[in-house]
Amino acid sequence: LNCSAFDSFRFMIKGGLAGAAVYVAYDQGLLGSGTEGAEALKKAQETLPPAIQEWTNYLGWEIPTPPKIDFSISNYWNKGVHKVMSALSVAPTRACEYTVEGWKYVKDLVK
């Protein structure tokens, strides 16, 4: 297994994990409209603290209380989704550019 094959394999694993994360986010309604995202976030906020508290009690850990958030997360959520999707959309192009630059660098080293 050569280095480029290992890099390709690693890129495929990362791509698969990113795809799975996007699928789960879409399945839970996080990538829908702002209202759907706010509802999914509210559902997560209601579900996660009791589950975390149950695990911490079971493990004997003590977690500090989370700080209160004074801004609307739903207003910033869509901006974050757009940034992530933008980064994922240019990832193949960037990977190709970086691969070309890497080969050029290796060729210059060999000379």
XYZ file of all heavy atoms in Angstrom:
861
model
N 0.852 -1.177 0.000
C 0.000 0.000 0.000
C 0.895 1.236 0.000
O 1.652 1.462 0.942
C -0.876 -0.034 1.255
C -2.121 0.823 1.247
C -3.104 0.281 0.221
C -2.770 0.803 2.599
N 0.844 2.014 -1.061
C 1.700 3.201 -1.112
C 1.031 4.391 -0.441
O -0.124 4.343 -0.033
C 2.095 3.518 -2.564
C 0.894 3.823 -3.438
O -0.152 4.195 -2.940
N 1.040 3.642 -4.725
N 1.767 5.476 -0.331
C 1.311 6.653 0.418
C 0.071 7.277 -0.205
O -0.849 7.654 0.498
C 2.437 7.674 0.502
S 2.019 9.107 1.494
N 0.038 7.382 -1.524
C -1.113 8.020 -2.165
C -2.375 7.168 -1.994
O -3.470 7.702 -1.854
C -0.836 8.292 -3.637
O -0.642 7.086 -4.334
N -2.218 5.852 -2.005
C -3.375 4.982 -1.776
C -3.870 5.140 -0.345
O -5.076 5.167 -0.103
C -3.016 3.531 -2.057
N -2.948 5.260 0.602
C -3.337 5.466 2.000
C -4.047 6.807 2.172
O -5.048 6.887 2.872
C -2.101 5.407 2.901
C -2.408 5.621 4.348
C -3.099 4.656 5.071
C -2.038 6.781 4.989
C -3.395 4.844 6.404
C -2.325 6.982 6.322
C -3.004 6.007 7.034
N -3.538 7.844 1.504
C -4.180 9.155 1.574
C -5.574 9.113 0.961
O -6.507 9.718 1.476
C -3.332 10.215 0.868
C -2.067 10.552 1.644
O -2.028 10.283 2.862
O -1.121 11.079 1.022
N -5.707 8.400 -0.144
C -7.016 8.262 -0.782
C -7.984 7.529 0.140
O -9.150 7.917 0.264
C -6.897 7.521 -2.103
O -6.087 8.225 -2.993
N -7.488 6.471 0.769
C -8.320 5.698 1.688
C -8.756 6.576 2.868
O -9.914 6.562 3.264
C -7.540 4.478 2.174
C -8.313 3.582 3.084
C -9.401 2.864 2.622
C -7.956 3.455 4.416
C -10.116 2.034 3.460
C -8.670 2.635 5.269
C -9.753 1.922 4.787
N -7.815 7.343 3.403
C -8.122 8.231 4.523
C -9.137 9.301 4.096
O -10.060 9.620 4.839
C -6.835 8.867 5.022
C -6.945 9.441 6.392
C -5.625 9.782 6.980
N -4.868 10.648 6.082
C -3.719 11.202 6.394
N -3.165 10.956 7.553
N -3.104 11.975 5.552
N -8.980 9.833 2.879
C -9.920 10.829 2.371
C -11.311 10.226 2.211
O -12.313 10.874 2.527
C -9.417 11.391 1.038
C -10.309 12.440 0.454
C -10.340 13.716 0.999
C -11.121 12.163 -0.629
C -11.161 14.679 0.476
C -11.944 13.127 -1.162
C -11.964 14.399 -0.614
N -11.378 8.965 1.754
C -12.678 8.308 1.603
C -13.338 8.096 2.963
O -14.545 8.259 3.098
C -12.525 6.984 0.856
C -12.220 7.152 -0.608
S -12.182 5.655 -1.629
C -11.688 4.372 -0.553
N -12.563 7.735 3.974
C -13.122 7.548 5.319
C -13.661 8.874 5.842
O -14.779 8.945 6.351
C -12.075 6.966 6.276
C -11.797 5.506 5.916
C -12.545 7.065 7.719
C -10.672 4.879 6.699
N -12.874 9.940 5.698
C -13.331 11.255 6.152
C -14.569 11.692 5.389
O -15.499 12.252 5.963
C -12.216 12.286 6.000
C -11.098 12.116 6.988
C -10.034 13.181 6.783
C -8.890 13.010 7.746
N -7.852 14.037 7.545
N -14.578 11.459 4.088
C -15.748 11.804 3.283
C -16.972 11.016 3.704
O -18.085 11.552 3.756
N -16.770 9.735 4.008
C -17.886 8.903 4.475
C -18.434 9.381 5.805
O -19.648 9.427 6.020
N -17.528 9.762 6.721
C -17.973 10.288 8.014
C -18.710 11.613 7.844
O -19.729 11.846 8.498
C -16.784 10.464 8.957
C -16.137 9.173 9.451
C -14.883 9.486 10.251
C -17.115 8.366 10.282
N -18.201 12.468 6.966
C -18.878 13.743 6.714
C -20.252 13.500 6.102
O -21.241 14.135 6.484
C -18.031 14.623 5.802
N -20.321 12.565 5.162
C -21.606 12.232 4.552
C -22.591 11.675 5.564
O -23.777 12.019 5.550
N -22.099 10.821 6.457
C -22.972 10.263 7.494
C -23.459 11.354 8.428
O -24.632 11.364 8.829
C -22.224 9.187 8.285
N -22.582 12.301 8.775
C -22.983 13.404 9.650
C -24.040 14.267 8.978
O -25.019 14.675 9.613
C -21.768 14.253 10.021
N -23.863 14.530 7.683
C -24.860 15.320 6.951
C -26.181 14.564 6.895
O -27.247 15.152 7.082
C -24.350 15.669 5.537
C -25.454 16.257 4.682
C -23.174 16.633 5.625
N -26.131 13.245 6.658
C -27.360 12.455 6.602
C -28.096 12.488 7.936
O -29.313 12.681 7.981
C -27.065 11.007 6.205
C -28.294 10.139 6.297
C -29.264 10.214 5.311
C -28.510 9.299 7.379
C -30.418 9.454 5.392
C -29.649 8.533 7.475
C -30.603 8.613 6.480
O -31.744 7.873 6.576
N -27.376 12.304 9.029
C -28.013 12.328 10.352
C -28.603 13.702 10.624
O -29.730 13.815 11.122
C -27.005 11.925 11.453
C -27.564 12.205 12.837
C -26.652 10.455 11.322
N -27.867 14.764 10.295
C -28.381 16.121 10.495
C -29.637 16.338 9.657
O -30.625 16.912 10.138
C -27.315 17.149 10.142
N -29.637 15.872 8.416
C -30.810 16.007 7.554
C -31.971 15.177 8.086
O -33.110 15.637 8.123
C -30.462 15.572 6.126
C -31.647 15.617 5.204
C -32.093 16.818 4.679
C -32.333 14.452 4.859
C -33.178 16.866 3.836
C -33.425 14.485 4.023
C -33.850 15.694 3.505
O -34.940 15.734 2.681
N -31.685 13.964 8.512
C -32.713 13.066 9.023
C -33.390 13.635 10.271
O -34.579 13.444 10.478
C -32.101 11.700 9.322
C -33.145 10.664 9.683
O -34.120 10.519 8.913
O -32.991 10.005 10.723
N -32.619 14.345 11.099
C -33.173 14.928 12.323
C -33.828 16.282 12.086
O -34.340 16.890 13.018
C -32.078 15.061 13.381
C -31.519 13.742 13.843
C -32.578 12.856 14.478
O -33.367 13.308 15.296
N -32.612 11.599 14.084
N -33.798 16.785 10.858
C -34.444 18.045 10.543
C -33.572 19.266 10.770
O -34.059 20.386 10.732
N -32.280 19.065 10.982
C -31.400 20.204 11.246
C -31.064 20.994 9.992
O -30.655 22.138 10.083
C -30.109 19.721 11.912
C -30.279 19.120 13.300
C -28.951 18.579 13.791
C -30.830 20.144 14.263
N -31.219 20.403 8.818
C -30.878 21.091 7.579
C -32.105 21.636 6.867
O -32.010 22.091 5.738
C -30.107 20.150 6.641
C -28.791 19.622 7.183
C -28.150 18.695 6.165
C -27.865 20.763 7.520
N -33.228 21.612 7.529
C -34.445 22.140 6.938
C -34.518 23.647 7.085
O -33.503 24.344 7.159
N -35.719 24.148 7.153
C -35.901 25.585 7.318
C -35.445 26.005 8.712
O -35.137 25.174 9.564
C -37.375 25.940 7.127
O -38.146 25.388 8.182
N -35.407 27.312 8.930
C -35.010 27.817 10.239
C -35.926 27.321 11.340
O -35.488 27.016 12.446
N -37.211 27.211 11.041
C -38.182 26.740 12.027
C -37.932 25.273 12.369
O -37.945 24.898 13.543
C -39.624 26.904 11.486
O -39.809 28.266 11.086
C -40.652 26.540 12.531
N -37.690 24.454 11.330
C -37.413 23.033 11.581
C -36.128 22.867 12.375
O -36.043 22.039 13.272
C -37.302 22.284 10.254
C -38.612 22.146 9.513
C -38.417 21.549 8.131
O -37.264 21.480 7.644
O -39.416 21.151 7.525
N -35.103 23.669 12.046
C -33.840 23.606 12.770
C -34.009 24.014 14.224
O -33.447 23.395 15.127
N -34.814 25.058 14.462
C -35.060 25.513 15.831
C -35.808 24.448 16.632
O -35.505 24.223 17.806
C -35.840 26.822 15.819
N -36.767 23.777 15.982
C -37.506 22.707 16.662
C -36.592 21.534 16.995
O -36.662 20.975 18.097
C -38.675 22.242 15.786
C -39.802 23.242 15.686
C -40.885 22.808 14.704
O -40.860 21.641 14.254
O -41.742 23.641 14.383
N -35.719 21.168 16.050
C -34.785 20.067 16.301
C -33.810 20.436 17.415
O -33.483 19.611 18.267
C -34.024 19.719 15.022
N -33.363 21.689 17.437
C -32.450 22.141 18.487
C -33.148 22.142 19.844
O -32.571 21.719 20.843
C -31.927 23.542 18.162
C -30.928 24.122 19.136
C -29.685 23.246 19.208
C -30.546 25.524 18.727
N -34.404 22.576 19.867
C -35.168 22.565 21.119
C -35.346 21.136 21.621
O -35.196 20.867 22.818
C -36.530 23.228 20.902
C -37.364 23.328 22.147
C -38.686 24.011 21.875
C -39.549 24.012 23.113
N -40.871 24.580 22.854
N -35.621 20.228 20.698
C -35.773 18.813 21.054
C -34.471 18.269 21.637
O -34.475 17.556 22.649
C -36.175 18.025 19.809
C -36.383 16.552 20.032
C -36.785 15.898 18.715
C -36.689 14.407 18.788
N -36.962 13.764 17.496
N -33.336 18.624 21.019
C -32.035 18.169 21.513
C -31.735 18.764 22.884
O -31.208 18.084 23.763
C -30.939 18.543 20.521
N -32.088 20.045 23.082
C -31.846 20.686 24.371
C -32.692 20.058 25.468
O -32.286 20.036 26.625
C -32.136 22.187 24.280
C -31.090 22.953 23.505
C -31.478 24.409 23.311
O -32.650 24.775 23.302
N -30.472 25.251 23.129
N -33.862 19.559 25.125
C -34.722 18.914 26.119
C -34.260 17.486 26.415
O -34.422 16.996 27.519
C -36.170 18.887 25.619
C -36.813 20.259 25.556
C -38.168 20.235 24.865
O -38.569 19.165 24.337
O -38.820 21.283 24.851
N -33.673 16.820 25.421
C -33.316 15.413 25.556
C -31.916 15.209 26.138
O -31.710 14.333 26.982
C -33.396 14.713 24.184
O -34.693 14.932 23.645
C -33.135 13.236 24.307
N -30.942 15.997 25.692
C -29.555 15.766 26.082
C -29.258 15.979 27.562
O -28.592 15.143 28.169
C -28.619 16.613 25.222
C -28.434 16.109 23.804
C -27.543 17.059 23.018
C -27.846 14.722 23.780
N -29.692 17.079 28.192
C -29.324 17.259 29.611
C -29.742 16.116 30.530
O -28.933 15.667 31.340
C -29.983 18.585 29.989
C -30.043 19.339 28.709
C -30.319 18.285 27.661
N -30.977 15.589 30.426
C -31.310 14.452 31.295
C -30.446 13.216 31.009
O -30.043 12.509 31.934
C -32.786 14.168 30.987
C -33.322 15.420 30.409
C -32.171 16.066 29.710
N -30.133 12.972 29.738
C -29.301 11.811 29.392
C -27.879 11.994 29.929
O -27.288 11.063 30.480
C -29.267 11.624 27.878
N -27.351 13.190 29.786
C -25.994 13.460 30.299
C -25.980 13.348 31.815
O -25.056 12.777 32.402
C -25.509 14.842 29.823
C -25.279 14.822 28.309
C -24.241 15.263 30.551
C -24.995 16.171 27.706
N -27.004 13.888 32.457
C -27.081 13.821 33.916
C -27.153 12.368 34.393
O -26.510 11.995 35.366
C -28.294 14.607 34.425
C -28.385 14.693 35.916
C -27.220 15.452 36.521
O -26.775 16.445 35.979
N -26.708 14.981 37.639
N -27.912 11.553 33.673
C -28.016 10.137 34.040
C -26.658 9.438 33.950
O -26.270 8.692 34.847
C -29.025 9.445 33.121
C -29.240 7.986 33.442
C -30.274 7.341 32.529
O -31.142 8.060 32.011
O -30.176 6.122 32.334
N -25.908 9.691 32.871
C -24.588 9.082 32.709
C -23.603 9.595 33.749
O -22.792 8.828 34.267
C -24.050 9.327 31.300
C -24.561 8.297 30.350
C -25.598 8.442 29.482
C -24.099 6.960 30.193
N -25.801 7.272 28.794
C -24.888 6.349 29.213
C -23.085 6.219 30.790
C -24.700 5.039 28.803
C -22.902 4.918 30.380
C -23.702 4.337 29.401
N -23.640 10.888 34.040
C -22.702 11.417 35.033
C -23.009 10.860 36.415
O -22.085 10.588 37.188
C -22.717 12.957 35.065
O -24.036 13.419 35.301
C -22.171 13.530 33.776
N -24.286 10.690 36.733
C -24.638 10.071 38.016
C -24.159 8.623 38.068
O -23.660 8.161 39.088
C -26.150 10.120 38.248
C -26.643 11.522 38.523
O -25.873 12.416 38.849
N -27.938 11.722 38.353
N -24.306 7.925 36.950
C -23.888 6.532 36.875
C -22.372 6.400 37.031
O -21.881 5.515 37.720
C -24.348 5.930 35.543
C -23.908 4.514 35.332
C -24.521 3.462 36.004
C -22.871 4.214 34.456
C -24.116 2.159 35.822
C -22.459 2.912 34.265
C -23.086 1.883 34.944
O -22.679 0.588 34.750
N -21.630 7.307 36.388
C -20.166 7.249 36.424
C -19.574 7.943 37.648
O -18.383 7.810 37.918
C -19.584 7.878 35.157
C -19.926 7.167 33.852
C -19.449 7.974 32.663
C -19.311 5.770 33.818
N -20.392 8.702 38.365
C -19.898 9.407 39.545
C -19.155 10.686 39.220
O -18.374 11.175 40.023
N -19.374 11.232 38.029
C -18.715 12.470 37.623
C -19.587 13.648 38.004
O -20.800 13.534 38.159
C -18.475 12.523 36.134
C -17.491 11.512 35.642
C -16.646 10.752 36.378
C -17.272 11.141 34.286
N -15.908 9.947 35.563
C -16.267 10.160 34.275
C -17.818 11.549 33.088
C -15.802 9.586 33.114
C -17.354 10.982 31.927
C -16.351 10.005 31.949
N -18.972 14.798 38.108
C -19.717 16.021 38.371
C -19.391 17.025 37.272
O -18.232 17.386 37.064
C -19.324 16.584 39.731
C -20.284 17.640 40.212
C -20.016 18.009 41.655
O -19.717 17.101 42.455
O -20.108 19.191 41.962
N -20.400 17.440 36.544
C -20.214 18.373 35.428
C -20.778 19.726 35.833
O -21.880 19.805 36.372
C -20.928 17.848 34.166
C -20.292 16.539 33.719
C -20.879 18.872 33.048
C -20.930 15.926 32.510
N -20.024 20.816 35.581
C -20.550 22.139 35.917
C -21.754 22.482 35.046
O -21.895 21.966 33.936
C -19.378 23.084 35.627
C -18.489 22.335 34.713
C -18.701 20.883 34.991
N -22.597 23.342 35.556
C -23.783 23.737 34.783
C -23.342 24.564 33.586
O -22.429 25.385 33.682
C -24.759 24.558 35.646
O -24.062 25.703 36.127
C -25.294 23.751 36.797
N -23.991 24.352 32.449
C -23.606 25.106 31.256
C -24.031 26.567 31.385
O -25.029 26.877 32.045
C -24.367 24.409 30.124
C -25.497 23.714 30.782
C -25.045 23.386 32.174
N -23.298 27.461 30.754
C -23.664 28.878 30.823
C -24.932 29.146 30.027
O -25.245 28.428 29.074
C -22.463 29.590 30.200
C -21.854 28.572 29.300
C -22.099 27.246 29.961
N -25.641 30.169 30.412
C -26.838 30.574 29.679
C -26.409 31.284 28.405
O -25.478 32.081 28.398
C -27.707 31.515 30.518
C -28.328 30.847 31.719
C -29.395 29.893 31.291
C -30.046 29.269 32.519
N -30.972 28.244 32.169
N -27.097 30.983 27.328
C -26.786 31.597 26.037
C -27.772 32.730 25.816
O -28.983 32.522 25.833
C -26.869 30.550 24.912
C -25.865 29.433 25.177
C -26.644 31.193 23.556
C -25.970 28.264 24.238
N -27.224 33.937 25.592
C -28.070 35.115 25.469
C -28.434 35.480 24.040
O -29.063 36.494 23.815
C -27.376 36.323 26.121
C -27.249 36.174 27.619
O -28.049 35.414 28.204
O -26.348 36.796 28.194
N -28.017 34.695 23.083
C -28.371 34.992 21.702
C -29.121 33.805 21.110
O -29.048 32.702 21.610
C -27.132 35.332 20.862
C -26.132 34.224 20.780
C -26.195 33.316 19.744
C -25.131 34.100 21.725
C -25.271 32.291 19.659
C -24.205 33.077 21.652
C -24.277 32.171 20.620
N -29.840 34.075 20.048
C -30.655 33.041 19.415
C -29.760 32.147 18.561
O -29.172 32.599 17.584
C -31.734 33.676 18.559
O -32.434 32.693 17.845
N -29.680 30.901 18.942
C -28.851 29.956 18.195
C -29.425 29.720 16.802
O -28.689 29.551 15.840
C -28.712 28.629 18.968
C -27.940 28.881 20.256
C -28.035 27.570 18.132
C -27.813 27.691 21.152
N -30.745 29.743 16.695
C -31.358 29.473 15.395
C -30.970 30.517 14.358
O -30.903 30.211 13.169
C -32.873 29.370 15.523
O -33.410 30.590 15.979
N -30.689 31.759 14.789
C -30.269 32.792 13.835
C -28.892 32.468 13.252
O -28.623 32.765 12.100
C -30.220 34.163 14.505
C -31.596 34.682 14.838
O -32.584 34.256 14.253
N -31.662 35.597 15.777
N -28.028 31.881 14.055
C -26.679 31.578 13.602
C -26.554 30.188 13.006
O -25.565 29.883 12.351
C -25.695 31.724 14.769
C -25.583 33.150 15.227
C -26.312 33.605 16.320
C -24.771 34.042 14.557
C -26.223 34.915 16.735
C -24.674 35.358 14.969
C -25.402 35.796 16.061
O -25.310 37.087 16.463
N -27.549 29.349 13.231
C -27.474 27.964 12.776
C -27.360 27.888 11.263
O -26.489 27.178 10.729
C -28.685 27.184 13.264
C -28.671 25.770 12.782
C -29.434 25.217 11.803
C -27.801 24.729 13.239
N -29.113 23.905 11.631
C -28.112 23.583 12.502
C -26.799 24.663 14.202
C -27.459 22.388 12.696
C -26.149 23.466 14.389
C -26.490 22.346 13.640
N -28.225 28.600 10.544
C -28.210 28.525 9.085
C -26.897 29.040 8.514
O -26.411 28.518 7.516
C -29.385 29.286 8.486
C -30.684 28.529 8.659
O -30.669 27.318 8.848
N -31.784 29.230 8.606
N -26.312 30.062 9.141
C -25.012 30.550 8.682
C -23.962 29.452 8.807
O -23.141 29.272 7.904
C -24.579 31.777 9.491
C -25.395 32.999 9.199
C -24.908 34.177 10.021
C -25.800 35.384 9.825
N -25.381 36.507 10.672
N -23.987 28.725 9.916
C -23.043 27.623 10.104
C -23.249 26.513 9.086
O -22.285 25.967 8.550
N -24.511 26.192 8.811
C -24.814 25.152 7.823
C -24.301 25.570 6.459
O -23.687 24.772 5.737
C -26.325 24.857 7.789
C -26.689 23.986 6.594
C -26.771 24.193 9.075
N -24.514 26.832 6.082
C -24.037 27.309 4.785
C -22.510 27.261 4.696
O -21.965 26.883 3.656
C -24.534 28.734 4.514
C -25.982 28.804 4.180
N -26.491 28.368 2.968
C -27.046 29.241 4.892
C -27.804 28.528 2.953
N -28.169 29.060 4.114
N -21.815 27.625 5.773
C -20.349 27.575 5.775
C -19.853 26.139 5.604
O -18.932 25.884 4.832
C -19.794 28.156 7.082
C -20.022 29.613 7.254
C -18.971 30.395 6.545
C -19.174 31.870 6.888
N -18.328 32.719 6.109
N -20.463 25.202 6.340
C -20.045 23.798 6.251
C -20.309 23.248 4.858
O -19.450 22.577 4.264
C -20.758 22.950 7.327
C -20.564 21.468 7.075
C -20.265 23.329 8.704
N -21.479 23.524 4.305
C -21.809 23.031 2.970
C -20.889 23.647 1.927
O -20.466 22.980 0.981
C -23.272 23.332 2.615
C -24.267 22.535 3.415
S -24.032 20.777 3.179
C -23.853 20.265 4.853
N -20.556 24.914 2.094
C -19.627 25.570 1.177
C -18.262 24.903 1.237
O -17.640 24.635 0.199
C -19.513 27.053 1.525
O -18.531 27.669 0.741
N -17.783 24.622 2.449
C -16.482 23.954 2.598
C -16.512 22.559 1.987
O -15.553 22.140 1.334
C -16.095 23.888 4.069
N -17.615 21.819 2.195
C -17.712 20.472 1.619
C -17.798 20.514 0.097
O -17.290 19.625 -0.579
C -18.922 19.737 2.189
C -18.806 19.284 3.639
C -20.127 18.688 4.105
C -17.687 18.280 3.802
N -18.437 21.560 -0.452
C -18.579 21.632 -1.905
C -17.252 21.920 -2.601
O -17.041 21.489 -3.727
C -19.618 22.683 -2.297
O -19.130 23.981 -2.030
N -16.353 22.655 -1.958
C -15.060 22.954 -2.571
C -13.984 21.942 -2.168
O -12.864 22.011 -2.663
C -14.576 24.385 -2.257
C -15.529 25.413 -2.824
C -14.332 24.582 -0.792
N -14.304 21.012 -1.288
C -13.306 20.046 -0.814
C -12.688 19.228 -1.948
O -11.467 19.074 -1.979
C -13.910 19.135 0.252
N -13.470 18.686 -2.889
C -12.833 17.918 -3.973
C -11.870 18.766 -4.804
O -10.791 18.309 -5.174
C -14.017 17.425 -4.820
C -15.174 17.430 -3.892
C -14.930 18.586 -2.959
N -12.251 20.012 -5.091
C -11.382 20.896 -5.858
C -10.107 21.186 -5.093
O -9.004 21.129 -5.647
C -12.114 22.217 -6.182
O -13.335 21.913 -6.838
C -11.267 23.106 -7.053
N -10.245 21.490 -3.808
C -9.072 21.771 -2.977
C -8.179 20.534 -2.869
O -6.961 20.650 -2.922
C -9.492 22.222 -1.585
C -10.209 23.524 -1.548
C -9.225 24.665 -1.669
N -9.955 25.916 -1.479
C -9.951 26.904 -2.343
N -9.255 26.806 -3.442
N -10.637 27.996 -2.108
N -8.778 19.371 -2.714
C -7.989 18.143 -2.619
C -7.194 17.925 -3.898
O -6.016 17.541 -3.849
C -8.901 16.953 -2.339
N -7.816 18.184 -5.041
C -7.123 18.036 -6.321
C -5.975 19.034 -6.413
O -4.870 18.684 -6.820
C -8.112 18.239 -7.461
S -7.380 17.996 -9.085
N -6.231 20.289 -6.032
C -5.176 21.311 -6.068
C -4.013 20.932 -5.160
O -2.847 21.061 -5.545
C -5.746 22.661 -5.649
C -6.700 23.271 -6.645
C -7.367 24.534 -6.110
O -7.017 24.983 -4.989
O -8.239 25.073 -6.808
N -4.326 20.478 -3.964
C -3.275 20.105 -3.019
C -2.494 18.891 -3.514
O -1.295 18.786 -3.292
C -3.845 19.841 -1.634
C -4.412 21.072 -0.968
C -5.487 20.975 -0.103
C -3.878 22.325 -1.196
C -6.009 22.100 0.517
C -4.392 23.457 -0.590
C -5.456 23.341 0.266
O -5.963 24.446 0.872
N -3.180 17.957 -4.176
C -2.501 16.794 -4.729
C -1.527 17.215 -5.821
O -0.386 16.743 -5.866
C -3.527 15.789 -5.283
O -4.428 15.426 -4.242
C -2.851 14.552 -5.835
N -1.960 18.116 -6.707
C -1.088 18.606 -7.775
C 0.121 19.322 -7.169
O 1.263 19.115 -7.592
C -1.871 19.539 -8.730
C -0.927 20.271 -9.669
C -2.904 18.746 -9.508
N -0.127 20.172 -6.168
C 0.980 20.874 -5.515
C 1.929 19.889 -4.831
O 3.153 20.070 -4.863
C 0.439 21.869 -4.494
C -0.236 23.065 -5.110
C -0.831 23.992 -4.062
O -0.470 23.879 -2.864
O -1.668 24.838 -4.440
N 1.386 18.852 -4.211
C 2.213 17.844 -3.559
C 3.093 17.100 -4.543
O 4.279 16.876 -4.295
N 2.505 16.701 -5.683
C 3.297 16.005 -6.706
C 4.386 16.914 -7.250
O 5.511 16.479 -7.496
C 2.412 15.516 -7.847
C 1.763 14.209 -7.542
C 0.442 13.984 -7.342
C 2.415 12.948 -7.381
N 0.221 12.669 -7.064
C 1.423 11.999 -7.087
C 3.727 12.528 -7.448
C 1.703 10.669 -6.865
C 4.018 11.185 -7.229
C 3.015 10.284 -6.952
N 4.046 18.175 -7.446
C 5.038 19.129 -7.942
C 6.178 19.261 -6.931
O 7.350 19.283 -7.311
C 4.375 20.487 -8.179
C 5.283 21.500 -8.806
C 4.541 22.808 -9.075
C 5.494 23.847 -9.636
N 4.839 25.124 -9.845
N 5.847 19.333 -5.666
C 6.863 19.447 -4.622
C 7.767 18.201 -4.595
O 8.991 18.298 -4.511
C 6.183 19.640 -3.260
C 7.147 19.693 -2.100
C 7.922 20.820 -1.868
C 7.266 18.611 -1.237
C 8.802 20.881 -0.803
C 8.152 18.644 -0.173
C 8.911 19.788 0.040
O 9.790 19.824 1.089
N 7.148 17.018 -4.701
C 7.922 15.773 -4.703
C 8.830 15.713 -5.935
O 9.993 15.315 -5.830
C 6.976 14.555 -4.633
C 7.726 13.265 -4.896
C 6.278 14.505 -3.284
N 8.319 16.110 -7.093
C 9.133 16.102 -8.321
C 10.321 17.050 -8.175
O 11.425 16.737 -8.618
C 8.286 16.492 -9.530
C 7.350 15.408 -9.974
C 6.533 15.873 -11.160
C 5.529 14.818 -11.579
N 4.694 15.274 -12.701
N 10.087 18.215 -7.550
C 11.178 19.171 -7.335
C 12.209 18.598 -6.375
O 13.410 18.857 -6.535
C 10.632 20.505 -6.814
C 9.861 21.272 -7.873
O 9.998 20.955 -9.074
O 9.108 22.207 -7.491
N 11.788 17.840 -5.385
C 12.726 17.216 -4.469
C 13.579 16.157 -5.122
O 14.751 15.984 -4.800
C 11.990 16.612 -3.275
C 11.452 17.560 -2.210
C 10.689 16.778 -1.154
C 12.586 18.324 -1.563
N 12.980 15.413 -6.063
C 13.673 14.320 -6.721
C 14.721 14.854 -7.684
O 15.764 14.241 -7.875
C 12.662 13.405 -7.443
C 13.348 12.375 -8.300
C 11.757 12.742 -6.426
N 14.478 16.016 -8.271
C 15.423 16.576 -9.249
C 16.752 16.829 -8.678
O 17.271 17.044 -7.787
C 14.875 17.867 -9.843
C 13.753 17.618 -10.809
C 13.279 18.922 -11.399
C 12.128 18.706 -12.352
N 11.640 19.943 -12.912
